[in-house]
Amino acid sequence: MNCDRATRLMSKSQDRPLNNGERTALEVHTWMCVGCRNFRKQVGFLRQAMQAFAQRQDDDEGPG
Amino acid sequence: MSTAAAAPNDDLLDSGYLSALRQQMVKFAQMHLSDVHLAEDAVQEALAGALVGAQRFAGRAALKTWVFAILKHKVADVLRHKQRMVDASSLCKENEEDATNDLFDRRGHWLSDSRPTAWDNPQACLEQQQFWLIFEACLDGVPAQLSRVFMMREFMGFETDEICETVGITSANLFVMLHRARLRLQECLGQRWFEAGDAPKKKGRR
């Protein structure tokens, strides 16, 4: 597995569960690759940031 | 438990409340439609729909949730209509090829310049006003077709099959587009915030 494929799987895992083969291959790759390990954390943070962003829209623009 | 201070019908007739709600709805619709006129139309239709069944909702929170649910469907209808005017699969191909070439080498491994470095203390950024200015700028920088599906997924909370049906693309295409959007956002935030020296540092670390 290369980094391009690994990042696709990390992104896909945000939208549907990975199968066992995908998950195992991804674990092996990220264990070896520091760039992909960082990317995985960052993709998780993006979702968290989007949730906070949506909440801010509510708080900032809401009635009252 | 408690009863609402004002009847829902009164809420929709309260010009101050309605004006603030409408402003919020227009901003929401405009973010997704990138067209103020289409956004205004969608909001108008959603509010008209809300008037029909408003008496069923006790309290402003329930009413607002319901009005926004109507608006989401209106926005989805407009997006579906707009999408018919373009060939969705050709857009996916276009997006598929533009982003990876400058991140990975021929074997699919990170180029040294684009390899992600660790983001220091990202949670603390969520409390910083400056971070959100950069975040919005990065969101604006995501190409329109990618941004549309990304916002439907991450902001409006649509399930993937709902997005595919609305936009008229396959799930494989959707996963590619969502991935491209995340790559863009990750790259932009990395360059403009975390590597620009603005991010807060964890104590005891450099």
Side-chain angles (χ1 to χ4, degrees):
Chain A
M1 177 176 289
N2 61 29
C3 302
D4 188 6
R5 173 78 179 136
T7 56
R8 287 166 195 261
L9 283 180
M10 288 176 211
S11 187
K12 193 181 281 187
S13 72
Q14 300 279 309
D15 304 308
R16 71 151 175 80
L18 299 181
N19 64 40
N20 286 338
E22 290 171 329
R23 201 165 47 241
T24 302
L26 189 56
E27 285 303 322
V28 170
H29 179 85
T30 50
W31 182 71
M32 296 186 296
C33 176
V34 68
C36 287
R37 218 155 44 231
N38 288 331
F39 185 81
R40 181 162 62 178
K41 290 176 189 167
Q42 289 159 11
V43 165
F45 172 72
L46 285 183
R47 169 151 291 178
Q48 195 180 358
M50 280 304 295
Q51 289 168 349
F53 177 68
Q55 184 62 53
R56 282 173 64 85
Q57 300 290 308
D58 268 0
D59 294 346
D60 291 352
E61 302 295 332
Chain B
M1 210 168 72
S2 65
T3 55
N9 280 339
D10 292 343
D11 285 334
L12 280 180
L13 296 174
D14 174 347
S15 62
Y17 173 75
L18 188 58
S19 172
L21 180 63
R22 193 174 183 288
Q23 188 181 358
Q24 190 181 3
M25 292 169 75
V26 169
K27 181 171 180 177
F28 176 87
Q30 199 173 342
M31 181 183 289
H32 295 287
L33 299 175
S34 308
D35 182 316
V36 68
H37 300 298
L38 288 175
E40 294 271 2
D41 288 348
V43 168
Q44 207 59 40
E45 287 183 31
L47 284 172
L51 281 169
V52 174
Q55 69 278 6
R56 283 185 289 159
F57 293 87
R60 289 184 168 183
L63 180 66
K64 181 181 165 186
T65 300
W66 184 58
V67 169
F68 266 84
I70 295 174
L71 181 59
K72 281 184 184 182
H73 285 289
K74 295 291 177 193
V75 167
D77 285 345
V78 175
L79 288 174
R80 197 177 294 127
H81 183 259
K82 283 175 80 172
Q83 199 64 31
R84 286 195 198 109
M85 301 176 189
V86 292
D87 177 358
S89 62
S90 72
L91 286 167
C92 293
K93 281 177 193 157
E94 175 189 312
N95 291 321
E96 206 166 337
E97 287 162 10
D98 69 349
T100 50
N101 292 344
D102 52 5
L103 294 177
F104 302 104
D105 65 19
R106 199 172 291 179
R107 295 185 308 140
H109 294 294
W110 293 107
L111 290 168
S112 57
D113 286 349
S114 56
R115 183 182 300 122
T117 55
W119 288 356
D120 201 358
N121 201 12
Q123 310 303 322
C125 302
L126 302 178
E127 307 299 323
Q128 293 201 326
Q129 182 60 32
Q130 187 65 26
F131 170 77
W132 291 110
L133 295 176
I134 299 291
F135 189 82
E136 287 204 51
C138 287
L139 272 180
D140 288 344
V142 176
Q145 295 297 331
L146 301 182
S147 178
R148 183 173 300 164
V149 294
F150 180 73
M151 293 301 278
M152 288 175 82
R153 176 75 181 125
E154 300 289 357
F155 187 89
M156 297 168 80
F158 278 36
E159 292 300 328
T160 52
D161 52 356
E162 287 179 290
I163 300 173
C164 290
E165 190 182 337
T166 298
V167 181
I169 55 176
T170 66
S171 59
N173 280 336
L174 175 63
F175 291 142
V176 168
M177 294 174 82
L178 289 172
H179 176 52
R180 298 293 168 229
R182 288 174 181 130
L183 270 178
R184 296 277 186 149
L185 207 47
Q186 178 270 343
E187 186 182 27
C188 179
L189 282 177
Q191 288 175 353
R192 296 182 65 174
W193 178 260
F194 290 100
E195 291 156 29
D198 292 325
K201 305 293 181 198
K202 272 185 180 163
K203 287 178 183 171
R205 290 182 60 183
R206 284 205 48 169

